[in-house]
């Protein structure tokens, strides 16, 4: 038996239009799953490989999760769901998260929408005895001075993972999470495209390289597979040793 064969399985990756979510989506597709993804833009053609988007073979739909009504209205293209990955995330730089508008916006995307999406698909996941995987961040485990909303939302995501893990175990749904360290995506360009900041960041990572979406996908495949059948409510830190 190949526990990492997802043939016949249906996955949905919210935030699968680029970066980490996109890498996770393509990893499930490569192992036989049918994979739907969502992002903020109108159509798949609005994304480019240069920004970390590889939408070939994925079923793309627009969904802005900062709008709770849009989540309610989102009509999936599938009738059963085995794996739900919530990889949506936003950050506001230049002290925008110290303004209440910015703080609320980030909490809505990074935390409130996790609960809204998880709840929307609870029945489908229960029917398939499926897995829910929440992407938080190593930011949940230390202060991030300029980003109070990002930090609070990601800390909340770890708590939500733990709590839904317990609450939904009885429904046969395994809820777990991934806390990435520093991964090269369009979200982290402010650091990775600046040679001095990049050098400083690499210095702090014991593996001396940035994470890749494929590194994160390895953890997601494991958490959705029977290889992790006795793990619930946990968030795996996947950071090359950054927060050690
Ligand atoms: N990169 C890192 O170092 C790092 C570290 C720790 C945690 N994370 C987390 O990993 C997740 C993925 O981020 P990433 O680094 O891969 O960045 P990314 O490439 O910018 O991906 C973010 C994803 O979230 C989607 N998204 C953002 N706002 C949304 C909204 N309002 N409605 C629906 N979708 C929305 C984006 O859609 P569009 O493509 O349409 O913008 C995209 O698919 C996030 O939760 C992030 O916080 C990243």
């Amino acid at each position: 038996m190949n526990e990492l064969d997802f043939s016949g399985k249906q996955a949905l990756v919210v935030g699968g239009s680029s970066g980490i979510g996109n890498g996770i989506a393509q990893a499930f597709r490569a192992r036989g799953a049918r994979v739907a993804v969502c992002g903020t833009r109108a159509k798949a053609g609005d994304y480019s490989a240069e920004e970390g988007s590889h939408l070939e073979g994925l079923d793309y739909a627009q969904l802005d999760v900062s709008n709770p009504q849009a989540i309610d209205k989102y009509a999936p293209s599938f009738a059963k769901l085995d794996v739900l990955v919530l990889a949506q995330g936003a950050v506001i730089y230049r002290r925008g998260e110290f303004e209440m508008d910015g703080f609320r916006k980030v909490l809505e995307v990074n935390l409130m929408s996790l609960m809204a999406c998880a709840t929307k698909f609870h029945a489908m996941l229960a029917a398939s005895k499926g897995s829910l995987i929440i992407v938080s961040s190593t930011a949940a485990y230390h202060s991030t001075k300029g980003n109070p909303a990002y930090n609070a939302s990601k800390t909340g995501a770890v708590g939500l993972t733990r709590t839904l893990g317990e609450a939904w175990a009885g429904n046969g749904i395994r809820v777990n999470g991934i806390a990435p360290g520093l991964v090269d995506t369009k979200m982290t360009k402010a650091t990775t495209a600046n040679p001095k900041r990049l050098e400083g960041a690499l210095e702090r990572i014991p593996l001396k390289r940035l994470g890749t979406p494929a590194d994160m996908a390895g953890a997601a495949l494991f958490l959705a597979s029977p290889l992790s059948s006795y793990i619930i409510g946990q968030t795996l830190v996947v950071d090359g040793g950054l927060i050690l």
Side-chain angles (χ1 to χ4, degrees), residues 97-170:
E97 294 183 9
F98 286 88
E99 307 289 333
M100 280 315 295
D101 273 357
F103 192 90
R104 281 201 183 88
K105 174 87 202 235
V106 170
L107 264 288
E108 196 68 46
V109 173
N110 292 11
L111 183 60
M112 303 298 279
S113 83
L114 297 179
M115 189 60 182
C117 293
T119 304
K120 182 177 177 91
F121 291 104
H122 175 266
M124 275 195 199
L125 290 173
S128 67
K129 305 282 179 240
S131 305
L132 167 59
I133 296 171
I134 291 177
V135 179
S136 58
S137 169
T138 51
Y141 303 108
H142 58 84
S143 157
T144 51
K145 195 168 60 173
N147 296 93
Y150 189 80
N151 198 292
S153 67
K154 294 301 184 178
T155 305
V158 171
L160 184 65
T161 301
R162 206 182 274 135
T163 301
L164 292 183
E166 181 184 12
W168 292 357

Side-chain angles (χ1 to χ4, degrees), residues 16-18 37-49 51 53-56 58-64:
S17 54
S18 73
V37 295
C38 303
T40 60
R41 298 183 192 168
K43 52 185 196 310
D46 296 337
Y47 290 94
S48 70
E51 296 172 297
S53 298
H54 304 277
L55 292 170
E56 56 284 356
L58 305 175
D59 173 14
Y60 177 80
Q62 183 180 33
L63 172 60
D64 180 350

